[in-house]
Amino acid sequence: MIEQRVVVVGAGVLGLFTALELVRAGGVTVDVIEASHPGSGSSGRSVGMVETQYLTQPDIEVRAFGREAYTALERDHGLTFVHGGYLRLGRTEHDVARFQESVRLQADLGIMDAFVLGREDMSLRWPQLVTNDLAGGLYGEWDGYVDGYEVSQLLARLVKRGGGRVHSGALLTAAERPSTWRLQTTAGAFEAEVVVNAAGPWAGEVGELLGAPVPLLPQLHGAVTIELGSPRPSMPFVMDYVPGSGTDGVYFRSERSNQLIAGLHTDEVIQEAVSPDVPLGAVSFDVIERVTTLLSGRLHDIDDMAVGRSWTGIYPMSPDHRPVAGWHRSAPGVVCALGAGGSGIQLSPAVGRLAADAVLRRDTPSFGPLVDWSHERF
């Protein structure tokens, strides 16, 4: 029996989780082509959060799936996972009601370590946190963070161990499909029946080469280290942003006793799109100023803080800030695994599962009907 040939474009976490799903399922040959090396793009620049403290059933369902995937990688393959907890802050009683519903939804999925904290509870747990303007918080005890580069390297090893191939330095330069796909790269030619577009910020450009355009609005984001003059008690990953608020918010977590990592986060497209080839480097002064201003209003006694190193990366976001996973609606032989924005690390297992479902034409849905990441919606 001739196996179906699949080429995955992009060796970030979305592409590699897709490839891992495929090699574990069997019946296909899998080549992952990567312009640089696994984890060299947005995945390796992520702050690496894995958590389930979201507010709707579909958002929680796919993150619960991701939690299981990362639990297995930690347990079975030694992935480093720092379980420092995750705290989402809420300013209104409406926020708290949504948090309580999230706890109920998580419990329905077997997650029993999420709960709502009141203002006083948060002050007792983390005295350095300013809580006078808060109504409550949604806290996940198990949650934490991974290193996106380590995840990518581990996944690449598992793909190869499963019989797949991962090609570094293989930049896609041309594609044609007279009957099956023939892809030209800087590392040679590849032929396949199916191509998976998992090219992260470059997914728009790859889509054009494949004749399979995708709606992608890459957003430039960054993170900064905050040096503290003296040791402080450890903080969980704190997210001072409520999804759907129409703005961004500050996040921060302890890296060491005298250092925080902080940045701005949003699930929404509120910035101008940038080229995926935009030079990456230090965070701009304006962003650093906003981060430090918001931190000063959220933490007590940080007048001695100083800005350390910073770095930028790209959120590859879709217009409705949800991933695109599954068959391209108008390009035969193209499957999408893209557009996860700033949640790529935690959503990548679910994106990979849905992309693999499409390639393998599995009839049984992996997720409930409310999880709509199909390309058909555009």
Side-chain angles (χ1 to χ4, degrees):
M1 179 179 176
I2 299 176
E3 293 187 332
Q4 180 176 227
R5 297 167 296 179
V6 181
V7 170
V8 178
V9 184
V13 288
L14 272 66
L16 289 166
F17 266 114
T18 302
L20 185 59
E21 286 276 353
L22 292 171
V23 298
R24 285 177 169 173
V28 295
T29 63
V30 179
D31 286 278
V32 182
I33 59 174
E34 165 58 45
S36 184
H37 60 271
S40 60
S42 294
S43 297
R45 293 175 172 270
S46 167
V47 294
M49 276 310 303
V50 179
E51 45 88 19
T52 55
Q53 310 317 312
Y54 265 69
L55 307 178
T56 69
Q57 193 278 335
D59 283 332
I60 295 169
E61 181 181 0
V62 291
R63 285 169 173 81
F65 182 81
R67 170 175 166 145
E68 293 177 3
Y70 282 105
T71 295
L73 290 177
E74 180 185 21
R75 181 190 63 234
D76 301 334
H77 303 289
L79 176 69
T80 304
F81 196 124
V82 180
H83 295 278
Y86 182 99
L87 176 66
R88 185 181 294 281
L89 304 180
R91 288 176 167 77
T92 68
E93 291 304 321
H94 176 64
D95 292 337
V96 172
R98 296 174 76 192
F99 292 170
Q100 291 167 339
E101 176 65 5
S102 173
V103 170
R104 186 191 68 78
L105 291 168
Q106 291 187 64
D108 288 345
L109 293 166
I111 297 171
M112 308 306 294
D113 48 52
F115 44 91
V116 177
L117 295 173
R119 181 189 302 121
E120 294 77 13
D121 294 327
M122 291 188 290
S123 294
L124 288 172
R125 284 173 176 258
W126 305 288
Q128 63 270 47
L129 192 66
V130 174
T131 62
N132 60 292
D133 62 333
L134 300 176
L138 176 60
Y139 183 58
E141 244 177 0
W142 174 92
D143 301 344
Y145 61 92
V146 296
D147 183 305
Y149 187 80
E150 181 187 351
V151 173
S152 300
Q153 291 289 316
L154 172 58
L155 292 174
R157 292 195 298 272
L158 294 177
V159 168
K160 289 185 279 189
R161 190 181 302 170
R165 295 178 289 267
V166 180
H167 308 269
S168 296
L171 172 67
L172 180 65
T173 57
E176 57 180 355
R177 189 178 184 271
S179 56
T180 58
W181 284 106
R182 182 173 177 82
L183 308 179
Q184 297 292 342
T185 80
T186 51
F190 296 84
E191 295 190 0
E193 283 71 43
V194 178
V195 178
V196 178
N197 183 355
W202 293 272
E205 295 183 356
V206 168
E208 294 299 323
L209 285 175
L210 297 172
V214 293
L216 200 68
L217 301 167
Q219 311 274 292
L220 187 65
H221 285 262
V224 59
T225 58
I226 302 294
E227 309 296 336
L228 303 173
S230 59
R232 304 289 203 280
S234 180
M235 294 290 296
F237 194 109
V238 178
M239 181 61 74
D240 197 2
Y241 162 79
V242 175
S245 60
T247 184
D248 58 10
V250 69
Y251 67 80
F252 55 92
R253 66 165 171 81
S254 295
E255 177 72 358
R256 299 193 298 268
S257 63
N258 62 346
Q259 186 185 71
L260 303 174
I261 288 182
L264 302 175
H265 178 77
T266 180
D267 290 343
E268 298 153 79
V269 180
I270 61 174
Q271 299 180 10
E272 292 294 322
V274 299
S275 164
D277 297 312
V278 64
L280 300 178
V283 172
S284 72
F285 174 79
D286 289 346
V287 171
I288 288 176
E289 185 176 39
R290 178 161 166 75
V291 168
T292 55
T293 298
L294 292 173
L295 274 180
S296 296
R298 187 52 66 204
L299 291 172
H300 294 292
D301 301 325
I302 57 170
D303 293 338
D304 59 351
M305 71 176 173
V307 175
R309 71 183 185 92
S310 65
W311 65 96
T312 53
I314 297 177
Y315 283 9
M317 299 185 78
S318 73
D320 65 0
H321 61 82
R322 289 184 289 145
V324 186
W327 288 109
H328 192 281
R329 68 179 182 183
S330 59
V334 176
V335 167
C336 300
L338 53 95
S343 298
I345 296 292
Q346 58 189 344
L347 294 183
S348 54
V351 171
R353 168 59 63 86
L354 288 173
D357 284 348
V359 173
L360 300 169
R361 301 186 185 277
R362 291 194 279 225
D363 295 329
T364 303
S366 291
F367 303 103
L370 295 178
V371 178
D372 178 17
W373 289 352
S374 72
H375 187 258
E376 292 288 337
R377 70 184 193 267
F378 296 107

